[in-house]
Amino acid sequence: MKMLKKLLMLGLFLIFVLPVLGESGLPETVYNQNLPSLRDLFRDYFDFGTAISREELMAVREARGLPYQFSILTAGNEMKPASLLDLQECRKLAQTDETAVAVRFSSAKPILDFAKGQGLRVHGHVLVWHSQTPLEFFKQGYIATRDFVSREVMLSRMENYIREVLTWTAENYPGVIVSWDVVNEAVADGKKGLRESNWTRVVGEDFVLKAFEYARKYAAEGTLLYYNDYNTPYEPKLTVICDLLDQLKAEGTVDGYGFQCHFSVNTPPIAAVKRAFARVAEKGLRLRVSELDVGISTATDARLREQALVYTDLFRIFLDYADQLEAVQVWGITDSRSWRSTEFPLLFSSGGYPKPAYYALVELAEAQ
Ligand code: G3I
């Protein structure tokens, strides 16, 4: 019986473990250094990075492999207003000053400490967004059931929030955060103009210009300021984004545009992505691919190969703009931790094994 069990274990080992052992005898996963390093392969062109969560950093296995594959990190959630605003303290301060803002960095610190310790850069995400920003931020006394504050109070809160976040991070982690998404996803989908949100409701449509004005005022010298959005290849959104960038550029408050790139294998067509890159790039701004993932319906061999082709086509475009492109960042490391985990959109499988898309990028980079 014991013999049978041993044979069974050996069989399982041969089937599931042996095929993924590399020459060094260690499994070839994103967590060790048997694999070619994408950050090294693209070093001459742009930073290669990923979004990361506090949970992933706590999983030591994952954290160990990070600095080997990636040179820049973005906190997936931990540096958004919902994470940084200290509402309890804001409520106390509001009793004497409605414009006062309190922030706390407990959620962001583990990521910033890790980046600092490992010599990685961080792209800050995000100062002003309609989502993951508590309703209380817009309300009198920071109490959800009360009325909205006035435009003037909200602008002061916005300025105070931006100042607090930018100065605290620059003082405590000098040089670590090299760039920020100042405003995220302000442009509407499928119609001309900005999306309606608490920002447009309480401040008005110039909230984007104001956010950039304040960010420029308080950002440390050399920190690049980005407007970040998704669905860039689609009209009329692309035209509205371009007009907004023109306005911000004229005011001297924006440095670049972040293409989110949450794509799927068949959408958008590569030609449309190419056109969008050309339209935005001609403004002479810095560019970044801030949130890349490419969804597929099932993880069959055929679909994984299609996904690899799309990643390759996209990176060909990115390489064409290498002079302007600061970074390409995937929105997560392994499929299981992706916000689109049911679409297997990343370069590494749930177990951390490199997928055909990863190998396709290695091949592309090596051919340059
Ligand atoms: O923190 C709670 C936790 O306490 C709770 O147990 C858990 C149960 O669902 O939810 C946790 O919050 C979730 C949070 O992610 C942290 O995991 C939220 O429900 C969930 O909505 C949130 O999703 C994030 C999403 O932004 C929200 O819009 C994703 O992780 C994050 O990857 C995603 O990132 C956005 C970018 O900021 C902007 N561009 C699009 C991109 C993808 O949606």
Side-chain angles (χ1 to χ4, degrees), residues 213-226:
E213 179 190 320
Y214 301 145
R216 181 60 91 212
K217 186 168 162 191
Y218 298 110
E221 184 80 28
T223 308
L224 297 180
L225 303 180
Y226 282 85

Side-chain angles (χ1 to χ4, degrees), residues 50-344:
T50 182
I52 181 86
S53 69
R54 222 167 16 157
E55 291 72 41
E56 280 165 290
L57 274 191
M58 284 170 186
V60 179
R61 207 165 73 110
E62 269 123 307
R64 212 177 36 211
L66 274 178
Y68 181 66
Q69 290 292 344
F70 306 104
S71 54
I72 187 161
L73 305 178
T74 293
N77 288 300
E78 294 78 354
M79 290 166 73
K80 293 171 175 174
S83 298
L84 300 188
L85 269 174
D86 185 342
L87 286 177
Q88 216 176 335
E89 201 50 37
C90 284
R91 271 180 217 117
K92 280 191 207 153
L93 297 176
Q95 288 170 7
T96 49
D97 179 3
E98 273 285 9
T99 70
V101 174
V103 285
R104 50 148 192 235
F105 293 90
S106 46
S107 61
K109 270 182 188 165
I111 293 176
L112 292 169
D113 285 338
F114 179 80
K116 189 176 166 186
Q118 298 288 333
L120 302 178
R121 287 179 272 281
V122 169
H123 173 71
H125 175 78
V126 46
L127 294 173
V128 174
W129 192 22
H130 63 277
S131 177
Q132 289 182 288
T133 302
L135 172 65
E136 289 88 332
F137 192 34
F138 301 89
K139 293 296 192 87
Q140 289 172 13
Y142 290 93
I143 293 170
T145 49
R146 295 214 186 140
D147 287 343
F148 284 107
V149 295
S150 66
R151 167 182 159 88
E152 287 65 37
V153 168
M154 201 60 226
L155 280 174
S156 297
R157 283 188 184 179
M158 182 201 262
E159 177 166 3
N160 289 337
Y161 177 80
I162 290 175
R163 187 194 59 242
E164 289 298 310
V165 173
L166 291 183
T167 51
W168 189 92
T169 47
E171 276 167 346
N172 291 278
Y173 296 90
V176 173
I177 304 180
V178 292
S179 47
W180 271 97
D181 289 332
V182 176
V183 177
N184 192 35
E185 302 172 6
V187 176
D189 289 297
K191 62 173 186 160
K192 276 208 146 187
L194 298 190
R195 101 177 38 248
E196 283 162 27
S197 70
N198 285 332
W199 284 114
T200 53
R201 189 169 302 129
V202 181
V203 171
E205 298 232 324
D206 63 344
F207 86 89
V208 182
L209 304 184
K210 286 291 184 187
F212 274 90
E213 179 190 320
Y214 301 145
R216 181 60 91 212
K217 186 168 162 191
Y218 298 110
E221 184 80 28
T223 308
L224 297 180
L225 303 180
Y226 282 85
Y227 174 67
N228 192 51
D229 215 327
Y230 65 94
N231 276 352
T232 319
Y234 298 101
E235 290 292 7
K237 192 164 183 173
L238 177 55
T239 297
V240 180
I241 289 172
C242 286
D243 292 348
L244 185 62
L245 290 173
D246 286 342
Q247 239 180 317
L248 292 166
K249 199 179 162 204
E251 300 208 347
T253 52
V254 75
D255 294 301
Y257 179 66
F259 290 84
Q260 288 192 11
C261 299
H262 294 295
F263 294 156
S264 294
V265 157
N266 298 312
T267 50
I270 292 294
V273 179
K274 221 179 240 180
R275 273 197 303 275
F277 260 79
R279 281 276 298 281
V280 178
E282 72 184 11
K283 303 190 177 309
L285 292 167
R286 308 304 299 162
L287 306 174
R288 64 188 305 110
V289 173
S290 51
E291 306 180 16
L292 174 64
D293 47 29
V294 179
I296 46 178
S297 49
T298 49
T300 57
D301 284 353
R303 293 277 172 276
L304 289 167
R305 276 199 303 275
E306 278 176 30
Q307 183 182 49
L309 289 177
V310 175
Y311 265 103
T312 308
D313 285 345
L314 290 171
F315 269 71
R316 281 191 214 284
I317 301 175
F318 304 159
L319 287 165
D320 282 345
Y321 291 95
D323 287 352
Q324 277 171 268
L325 200 58
E326 289 288 316
V328 175
Q329 294 192 242
V330 280
W331 200 244
I333 305 166
T334 58
D335 282 342
S336 55
R337 292 193 186 268
S338 164
W339 71 297
R340 305 167 73 189
S341 58
T342 54
E343 296 173 80
F344 317 97

